[in-house]
Amino acid sequence: MRNWVPPIVAVLVSVFSSIIAAPFIFRYVGQTVGWYLRRRTSARRDLIFARVKVEEDDYKSRERRFPKSEDEDWEKVESYATGIARNGEKAENDWEGVIGFFHPFCNAGGGGERVLWAAIRATQKRWPKAICVVYTGDHEVDKTAILERVESSVMEHLLIGELQNRFNIHLHAPNLVFLYLQTRHWVLSSTWPHFTLLGQSLGSLVLAYDAFSLLVPDIFIDTMGYAFTLALSKFFFPTVPTGAYVHYPTISTDMLGSLDNEAGQGVNAGTGKGWKGWAKTRYWHLFARLYCWVGGNVDIVMTNSSWTQAHIQSLWGPNRTNRAKPSDVEVVFPPVAVEELTQAIDVSPASETKREKILLYIAQFRPEKNHALILRAFSELLHPTEGQKTADGLKGSSLVLVGSVRHSDDATKVYDLRLLAHELKIKDNVEFVCDASWPEILNWLRKSWVGVNGMWNEHFGIGVVEYQAAGLVSVVNDSGGPKQDIVIDYAGGPTGFHASTVAEYVQAFTKALTLPPEERLAMRRRARASATRFTEEAFAKRWVVQMAKLVRMKSNGIMTKR
């Protein structure tokens, strides 16, 4: 018996030592890979700096020969972040380095891309010597083509009848670099027909390694929602500060709760029943735990709304606290083309005479947009229950559904909605406008009465802000960003109405369509004034404050816990 004691003790000591040493070995492996990637990409880094210098010198030479009168002065930078550079002084002693923006679909032309370009513009104005690198998978376009689309304005697109990429954001080309990824298909939903959430998240790790194989940045920021890439960055490069701009959580407590709630809202409501539902519930909860751990690795977190902030704080907060992250989750509202809409659409007593009793819903034809709810509410509005009459102010009302049709699934959705309108006996009062041009959309915004939003827990609601900027009376779902951040009381009065059920939407539509003229115009003006909270300038001020924290961390060589 005694002969067995030493081997048992040796095994126990070995196992215990392995457990103790495992984290150190894991960390050592990660940092070794990081060292290899830095060494592998150092030549490209030197090449980029040299090329940027040449392009900058050429840019300055052309500016001397052909001076422009512009508000973008790249040497005299207005600082919104205190403690780094004084207002109006040259930033000669300011930070210079490489800021990597992870945005594999940078040429998509949506609201997320507007955030990306506005963020780069604000960063360039504040740190003119920094190099902004965009990791993208858009191989079909080069730098010149991307910038032409980003810098074109709404008015330019009015002339050619296009809708996409109407950002009117002017970027400083010399210190903006695009690096092209080869593995973007790893994050496509079509690559992962099953276990899509996990598959795309793991696929983003492949894509991130692809990015780091091209260049290791000094600061790494994800602006598309691939949080797993930030954890990989910390694994390889502990001293590289990481930032995330979160448009919506990959998974949320509302999503988890909806599985077992048949009466709930959302496309997954009630799908947690049965053995398949049980398996889906377990899978989602396990993924949520992984997502929580990943989020704890991010140094600076920004969200697009109070709703997103609350969910991210709930999911990531405990792990961020355990890792002693230096900043709370902050709301940075996304930039919206408010100024362009206010210039194009008048809100005055004269414009009131040109508006029609149109309820306008601009949204992609996707299930979560809940067009069916709006159709049923509109039917109830026109055909009230027995014993009730349609109010005089509601006669002649129409519903216009404007949205893009991306593929056959969307086309099928539109067909089903047309059938529903026919069944509800409102087909003569409902118009479907598919793939409208921007001039068409402007025309609908100019002449419509009410702007409608039907999506449950929409994370922000850029379309609702556009309603407000255009002077529409908004009727939005009583949830998410539209409720908490956009359609709120402003300047002592309401800017619209909230609703959840068919009956509530009917009531809100009735109020919006029958407001007395003076009260109606006052609400439109309040809504337009409220929309100024979401301009590009407002976004830039908040963005630079958060960006300054990352720059300060890098300058001070801070290494946060992983």
Side-chain angles (χ1 to χ4, degrees):
M1 187 69 179
R2 292 180 180 179
N3 294 335
W4 287 96
V5 174
I8 291 175
V9 172
V11 168
L12 292 175
V13 170
S14 177
V15 170
F16 183 74
S17 300
S18 298
I19 294 173
I20 296 296
F24 298 97
I25 296 172
F26 185 71
R27 189 175 298 121
Y28 175 78
V29 170
Q31 294 182 21
T32 299
V33 175
W35 171 84
Y36 164 75
L37 291 171
R38 284 186 187 276
R39 182 178 178 182
R40 176 180 173 180
T41 61
S42 60
R44 179 179 279 112
R45 181 185 178 94
D46 294 340
L47 207 64
I48 288 174
F49 271 89
R51 188 174 66 186
V52 167
K53 185 179 185 306
V54 171
E55 291 185 12
E56 185 68 42
D57 290 343
D58 182 61
Y59 175 85
K60 290 180 179 179
S61 176
R62 284 186 284 109
E63 285 292 288
R64 285 192 293 268
R65 285 181 291 163
F66 309 103
K68 296 180 180 179
S69 176
E70 295 181 349
D71 62 342
E72 287 86 15
D73 187 342
W74 300 100
E75 292 299 321
K76 296 179 180 179
V77 181
E78 182 178 6
S79 172
Y80 298 119
T82 59
I84 297 183
R86 288 191 293 272
N87 199 19
E89 291 186 354
K90 288 188 176 182
E92 294 175 347
N93 298 320
D94 224 350
W95 184 81
E96 51 185 295
V98 177
I99 304 171
F101 291 86
F102 190 78
H103 206 104
F105 298 87
C106 76
N107 201 45
E113 286 64 59
R114 177 179 280 277
V115 168
L116 170 67
W117 305 128
I120 290 176
R121 182 176 187 264
T123 302
Q124 287 183 322
K125 292 186 72 174
R126 178 58 193 85
W127 292 277
K129 293 186 178 181
I131 297 175
C132 294
V133 172
V134 178
Y135 299 101
T136 179
D138 295 305
H139 290 267
E140 69 279 4
V141 287
D142 60 10
K143 177 178 177 178
T144 301
I146 292 175
L147 293 185
E148 283 178 354
R149 294 179 179 182
V150 172
E151 294 176 358
S152 60
S153 68
V154 167
M155 294 306 169
E156 290 170 349
H157 283 283
L158 285 174
L159 297 176
I160 59 177
E162 293 183 354
L163 169 60
Q164 293 184 339
N165 305 304
R166 50 182 177 84
F167 294 132
N168 194 22
I169 296 175
H170 295 272
L171 303 173
H172 189 52
N175 60 353
L176 176 59
V177 177
F178 292 88
L179 295 179
Y180 292 87
L181 305 168
Q182 303 295 326
T183 55
R184 193 174 69 176
H185 62 278
W186 281 87
V187 296
L188 297 177
S189 58
S190 57
T191 304
W192 308 95
H194 306 289
F195 300 100
T196 307
L197 288 178
L198 181 61
Q200 288 182 302
S201 297
L202 296 179
S204 71
L205 298 178
V206 177
L207 200 57
Y209 186 87
D210 188 358
F212 298 141
S213 298
L214 295 171
L215 181 71
V216 178
D218 298 310
I219 295 172
F220 186 60
I221 303 174
D222 166 52
T223 50
M224 273 206 75
Y226 295 111
F228 282 61
T229 65
L230 301 170
L232 187 67
S233 177
K234 277 298 176 189
F235 178 55
F236 290 155
F237 320 108
T239 58
V240 172
T242 55
Y245 187 92
V246 184
H247 296 274
Y248 53 89
T250 304
I251 194 165
S252 68
T253 51
D254 286 343
M255 288 172 63
L256 295 172
S258 70
L259 292 175
D260 297 323
N261 186 2
E262 293 182 355
Q265 301 188 58
V267 295
N268 291 290
T271 59
K273 304 298 182 180
W275 70 268
K276 287 185 178 180
W278 177 88
K280 183 174 184 176
T281 301
R282 299 281 72 75
Y283 159 55
W284 273 22
H285 278 276
L286 288 173
F287 179 80
R289 293 181 63 180
L290 186 59
Y291 185 64
C292 292
W293 177 84
V294 165
N297 289 274
V298 188
D299 294 316
I300 299 298
V301 181
M302 295 166 273
T303 65
N304 64 342
S305 69
S306 300
W307 181 88
T308 308
Q309 178 195 43
H311 282 272
I312 289 296
Q313 185 61 45
S314 172
L315 292 163
W316 291 3
N319 281 301
R320 285 175 53 76
T321 300
N322 292 339
R323 291 180 173 87
K325 293 301 176 182
S327 177
D328 293 330
V329 176
E330 299 288 346
V331 176
V332 178
F333 293 129
V336 184
V338 172
E339 299 95 333
E340 296 170 4
L341 285 167
T342 55
Q343 290 172 9
I345 298 175
D346 182 35
V347 176
S348 67
S351 68
E352 286 296 285
T353 62
K354 301 175 183 178
R355 290 192 183 270
E356 304 172 22
K357 293 293 181 72
I358 297 173
L359 282 70
L360 180 66
Y361 188 12
I362 302 177
Q364 289 182 332
F365 290 107
R366 306 202 313 260
E368 62 269 22
K369 296 301 181 179
N370 214 350
H371 291 84
L373 171 66
I374 303 305
L375 285 171
R376 289 189 172 90
F378 184 64
S379 174
E380 184 69 24
L381 182 75
L382 296 185
H383 309 298
T385 55
E386 293 184 7
Q388 297 181 351
K389 294 182 178 180
T390 303
D392 291 338
L394 305 181
K395 293 179 179 179
S397 300
S398 61
L399 173 65
V400 177
L401 304 177
V402 179
S404 59
V405 178
R406 301 165 298 169
H407 41 60
S408 59
D409 289 345
D410 287 355
T412 302
K413 181 66 178 176
V414 173
Y415 177 76
D416 292 339
L417 291 172
R418 290 182 187 274
L419 288 179
L420 179 60
H422 181 77
E423 292 172 6
L424 295 171
K425 300 179 181 180
I426 55 173
K427 66 181 181 66
D428 293 334
N429 301 88
V430 177
E431 184 173 350
F432 290 83
V433 182
C434 301
D435 298 321
S437 67
W438 177 243
E440 287 180 284
I441 291 177
L442 265 184
N443 187 48
W444 284 116
L445 288 169
R446 188 178 290 113
K447 68 182 182 180
S448 295
W449 200 281
V450 176
V452 182
N453 161 268
M455 181 177 173
W456 175 67
N457 271 347
E458 182 152 16
H459 43 93
F460 179 65
I462 287 177
V464 179
V465 176
E466 292 178 338
Y467 292 156
Q468 291 190 328
L472 276 66
V473 177
S474 298
V475 175
V476 302
N477 196 274
D478 193 23
S479 64
K483 173 189 178 180
Q484 297 180 26
D485 295 319
I486 304 175
V487 182
I488 60 174
D489 286 356
Y490 189 84
T495 58
F497 303 95
H498 305 144
S500 294
T501 64
V502 168
E504 289 173 356
Y505 271 101
V506 172
Q507 186 179 24
F509 290 157
T510 302
K511 290 180 179 179
L513 291 168
T514 58
L515 284 170
E518 290 186 4
E519 187 178 344
R520 182 176 66 240
L521 181 58
M523 183 176 289
R524 295 193 197 281
R525 285 173 167 168
R526 282 195 302 271
R528 171 166 281 192
S530 175
T532 60
R533 296 178 294 128
F534 310 108
T535 62
E536 185 183 321
E537 181 182 1
F539 169 83
K541 290 180 179 180
R542 294 192 178 200
W543 172 270
V544 168
V545 170
Q546 301 306 313
M547 189 70 216
K549 297 176 183 178
L550 291 168
V551 171
R552 196 174 300 117
M553 290 174 63
K554 185 62 182 178
S555 300
N556 297 336
I558 297 175
M559 184 190 300
T560 57
K561 293 181 180 179
R562 288 188 288 119

